[in-house]
Each structure stands twice: as structure tokens, then as C-alpha cells.
Amino acid sequence: MRKKIVAGNWKMNLNFEEGVSLFSEIVNMVKDEVVGDQEVIVCTPFIHLSTVAKMSENVKNVNIGSQNVHQAESGAYTGEVSASQVKSVGVEYVILGHSERRAYFGETDALLAEKTNVTLKHGLKPIFCIGETKEERESGKFFDVIKNQLVNGVFHLSKEDFAKVVLAYEPVWAIGTGLTASPEQAQEVHAFIRETIANQYDAETADNTTILYGGSCNPSNAPTLFSQKDIDGGLIGGASLKSRDFLDIVKVFNA
Ligand code: 13P
């Protein structure tokens, strides 16, 4: 059975103290309220990683992710952070290919393939994001766009390495806009992604891949989204900054 995951992406929000306080609330709520084996991943800015990783050490099913790493091992890359550095403070996951990084930092599929390699090399698991823009959806080309992102970003991996990847379908038009994809729209794409994985690898690999939905996900729409056959959880932006909302989304998998 593939893993159910709810991951929070704090993006560039919260100072150190605010982040530690939010994380502490999340941990307490997880301990008190979570009864299933869903995994909770919190992807914080770099400044919080070391502290929150320590705070989560003995908390079942809570793990930490960074929101990026550089593609090189180390060296003269002022302002960047490497995979081995985040690994050394207890990080387990790395968000890669987020549409904000593709759009604002020029991250291409080829660069993301390199980042995926260095992430896996250091024993970290990528949360690899894919998704179409509004224009690509309206022109009907979105299946091609998503397939290309998979082919060029992660399909060079061996089956063994691909098994460590979590995918996140985040339609760009749904991120931070309040315009959630309908459960049917999201399910249609998730089923397509799973079928594409089956064609590239095999049915078992496809069946075992966790595919998250992201884009204006909140406590009201999460239950219907997560009940879709091919949706295995969510990558949550805005709602992950409020402990109550985030936990209510996590608890969709309590039942
Ligand atoms: P929102 O939940 O704020 O739409 O953000 C989604 C996202 O980009 C998560 O990575």
C-alpha cells in the first residue's frame, strides 16, 4: 500500500521564533489527535530546519523537508545550500520543481534532474512537483506538459531510485489563488500520472507511488480531494501556516 502524506510548504514565511512556535503546536496536535499512519512532512525555510528536525526526533510520523537544494555537492556558490548540508541537520525530504522555482528562478527540467540526483545521492527523498499553467490547461495541452515534466525531471531514474520519489501535482492556476482543481479534474490528472509511471516502469511501481495534490487545499476541500482513488494526500501552502487548519487536513486520513 502506498503511503498517505500531508506535507506543509511554509514557503518564505515566518521568522525563527514564529516557525518554532508553529512547529511546536503542530507536534503537540499530531501527538494528541493523529491516529492513522499518515505521514506529516513540514517543509520550512532553511533557518528552521536544524531546530525543527531536533524537535521532531521522537515524534512518530513527523518528518522535515527543505524547499530546495543546490545541484552541486559543495563549493563556491554563495547563498546556496547543498543536499549534504540539509541531510546533516536531520532533513528527510526536499521539495523540487515547485512552480515558483520554475517560474521565478528559471529552474528547468534539466536542472531539476540534476537536483533530483544529488538529493537521492545523499539519502534524501524528493517531493517532485509538476503541473500546468492556466494557459496550458485552457489550450488542452496539459497532459503533454505533465508528461514532459516527468520524462525530463525524474524518468531517468532507476526503478529503485524512482521508488523514493513522492510526486506532487500542483496546477499553477490553483496555487495561492483559492481556485482549487475540482476533485474530478485532480483525479483525472493523478490517474494519468499513475498510468504514465506504469508505462515507464511497471504497474507495481505506479501503484506504490504517492501522488499528492497541491493548490488551495484547505480543511473543507481536502476530504473530497483525498477520497479520490489516485490522490494520496496533499502539499499544502497557505493552510499549513495555521496549525488548526493543517491538522484538520492531516486528520482527513484518521478515518
Ligand atoms: P497554496 O496551498 O497556498 O495554494 O499553495 C500550494 C503550494 O504551492 C504548496 O507547495
Side-chain angles (χ1 to χ4, degrees):
M1 264 299 274
R2 54 186 178 259
K3 211 186 273 182
K4 304 294 185 192
I5 296 177
V6 177
N9 175 9
W10 289 2
K11 308 193 179 183
M12 197 175 73
N13 292 298
L14 309 178
N15 68 24
F16 181 73
E17 224 178 274
E18 291 163 344
V20 170
S21 149
L22 172 61
F23 190 77
S24 155
E25 286 172 25
I26 291 171
V27 163
N28 289 332
M29 287 178 165
V30 167
K31 283 183 186 159
D32 290 346
E33 302 177 28
V34 172
V35 294
D37 2 313
Q38 66 269 49
E39 183 172 355
V40 177
I41 305 172
V42 183
C43 302
T44 76
F46 289 121
I47 60 159
H48 302 98
L49 290 175
S50 157
T51 303
V52 298
K54 284 198 186 78
M55 289 165 72
S56 71
E57 254 165 23
N58 297 312
V59 190
K60 190 175 158 262
N61 289 347
V62 176
N63 286 307
I64 306 301
S66 71
Q67 299 171 18
N68 183 28
V69 290
H70 193 266
Q71 64 276 21
E73 289 288 336
S74 65
Y77 300 100
T78 302
E80 292 293 320
V81 178
S82 74
S84 70
Q85 287 174 321
V86 300
K87 176 73 181 176
S88 74
V89 298
V91 166
E92 297 223 11
Y93 289 89
V94 180
I95 297 178
L96 291 176
H98 194 283
S99 62
E100 287 151 17
R101 295 219 53 96
R102 292 178 189 262
Y104 308 145
F105 301 95
E107 296 201 356
T108 60
D109 288 333
L111 175 74
L112 291 167
E114 283 185 62
K115 290 193 177 202
T116 302
N117 292 342
V118 79
T119 295
L120 287 163
K121 182 175 171 200
H122 290 281
L124 295 155
K125 291 173 261 187
I127 300 175
F128 195 88
C129 305
I130 53 183
E132 80 284 2
T133 62
K134 185 165 176 280
E135 294 68 39
E136 289 162 345
R137 170 145 294 257
E138 283 165 358
S139 72
K141 284 190 305 212
F142 56 101
F143 287 123
D144 290 340
V145 169
I146 289 160
K147 186 171 176 191
N148 283 336
Q149 289 171 337
L150 288 168
V151 168
N152 299 317
V154 287
F155 278 180
H156 63 285
L157 297 173
S158 65
K159 195 161 90 172
E160 206 174 42
D161 274 340
F162 184 80
K164 298 168 192 153
V165 175
V166 172
L167 291 175
Y169 169 57
E170 298 207 308
V172 180
W173 47 273
I175 297 178
T177 56
L179 286 175
T180 323
S182 69
E184 296 73 24
Q185 280 175 322
Q187 166 58 27
E188 182 186 34
V189 175
H190 280 235
F192 170 76
I193 293 169
R194 209 175 294 289
E195 184 191 317
T196 308
I197 299 167
N199 292 337
Q200 174 70 20
Y201 295 98
D202 53 38
E204 193 190 355
T205 304
D207 208 38
N208 288 334
T209 304
T210 296
I211 310 175
L212 308 179
Y213 168 79
S216 299
C217 197
N218 60 42
S220 320
N221 59 33
T224 4
L225 283 162
F226 297 178
S227 68
Q228 303 301 307
K229 183 165 150 285
D230 290 294
I231 302 184
D232 308 310
L235 180 55
I236 320 298
S240 75
L241 297 170
K242 294 183 196 131
S243 53
R244 183 69 272 153
D245 284 0
F246 186 57
L247 256 291
D248 285 347
I249 299 172
V250 169
K251 282 166 65 185
V252 170
F253 290 116
N254 267 2

